[in-house]
Amino acid sequence: MGTSVLHIDLNALRDNWRALDALSAPHVETAAVVKANGYGIGSAKAARALQKAGVKTFFVAAVEEGVTLREALGPDPEICIFGGHMAGDTDMIADMHLTPMLNSLEQTTRHFEALAGHPFGIQLDSGMNRLGMEPAEWDAIKEIVIQAGPRLVMSHLACADEPDHPMNAQQLASFRDMTDGLPVRRALSATGGILLGADYHFDLVRPGIGLYGGLPFEDAKPVVRVECPVIQIRDVATGETAGYGNAWTAERPSRIATIAAGYADGILRAISNNAVLFEGDTPCPLVGRVSMDLITVDVTHLPHAPRSLDLICAHQTVDELALNADTIGYEILTSLGGRYARRYIG
């Protein structure tokens, strides 16, 4: 094993979807978000596994991601594009039968003029100020849009991972003000919104990070394990240093393992001198700086020379690792680079 291995448990992915699906009423459809290459695990394989579990609607960020997904899944599932109908997207949307979530009057005009009768959805801004039509813009075109029969009207919560945040109730009220009484399917919640309860579920929920083992879905099964091969182990005397910048100095005679992984693999440099890897159940401190291709780890306390060490595993989730880098599990997952050998289970 010359490169690090990303072990991906598709059974756990499906189990996480089923668990999130069970949290909403039977009439609520549970879709799946597979943008950013399936949060780093591979969108085609993730989506095919989820399709087998029962997913009928998928969400991605951009049309190009939708094309990849359509080629992987075939003609049946609905593939929705958060980014909407951008200039230059028309042929791909038509040819691949994608459903753009229209975010503005400009996108709506483009879609209606170029692809009259083609499926579409609408994204509304309920207070996040990121994507979607604001209330005044929506009011101006609402009747025409509803007559055209959107597949879905959706919005997105800004603070759903904080259940007590007042923004949640504020956005819920705003979304209801813009959509109550309309003859259309509605969607507001991703993973965090699902956990807020039935008031936030409407007709469709679209979990993302929770499928892949991340917070705020605390009951999620781990989906990924990052296994890093040990290239070399050396003895380091007291007072000697390891890695760039002499950032770590041995305070005792130590055995230091050099492993094949680094920031080119998406292992953030911010965890330098501030994280652990695991040999089985035993934590091993990362020492020195994370470099492009290599990490040094203190294995002095191990009774044997390890062949590999795990960076993400059952003992250290993506969110626990993220804390060491002062970031979030989303960034850890989506940063995982292209050099990993990907091994799929299930």
Side-chain angles (χ1 to χ4, degrees), residues 27-33 57 59 80 82 101 121-126 150-157 171-172 174-176 178-180 182 184-191 193-194 198-207:
H27 76 274
V28 178
E29 179 185 355
T30 303
V33 179
T57 304
F59 287 83
C80 301
F82 285 133
M101 299 289 108
I122 295 291
Q123 184 158 196
L124 302 177
D125 177 17
S126 55
R151 298 281 297 155
L152 187 72
V153 173
M154 62 163 284
S155 189
H156 191 58
L157 296 167
Q171 284 193 262
L172 176 62
S174 175
F175 186 61
R176 284 197 174 280
M178 288 190 281
T179 62
D180 273 357
L182 298 178
V184 64
R185 299 175 78 216
R186 295 183 288 177
L188 180 61
S189 292
T191 301
I194 294 172
D199 287 347
Y200 291 82
H201 293 172
F202 293 93
D203 301 294
L204 179 145
V205 293
R206 48 181 202 279

Side-chain angles (χ1 to χ4, degrees), residues 222 224-226 278 280-281 310-317 320:
V224 300
R225 178 168 70 93
V226 173
F278 282 84
D281 298 332
D310 289 344
L311 180 65
I312 300 172
C313 57
H315 301 294
Q316 181 162 260
T317 67
E320 289 166 339

Side-chain angles (χ1 to χ4, degrees), residues 224-236:
V224 300
R225 178 168 70 93
V226 173
E227 180 187 11
C228 307
V230 174
I231 301 174
Q232 184 178 4
I233 296 178
R234 68 177 64 246
D235 294 323
V236 176

Side-chain angles (χ1 to χ4, degrees), residues 40-102:
I41 74 170
S43 60
K45 283 189 168 61
R48 283 196 291 263
L50 291 165
Q51 187 180 32
K52 289 179 181 177
V55 177
K56 296 179 173 60
T57 304
F58 293 86
F59 287 83
V60 294
V63 163
E64 290 78 7
E65 293 180 328
V67 170
T68 299
L69 215 57
R70 179 64 73 205
E71 292 171 344
L73 297 178
D76 292 335
E78 184 158 29
I79 299 173
C80 301
I81 312 299
F82 285 133
H85 189 155
M86 300 287 288
D89 287 349
T90 301
D91 288 345
M92 286 187 288
I93 289 172
D95 293 346
M96 293 297 179
H97 201 65
L98 306 175
T99 304
M101 299 289 108
L102 306 178

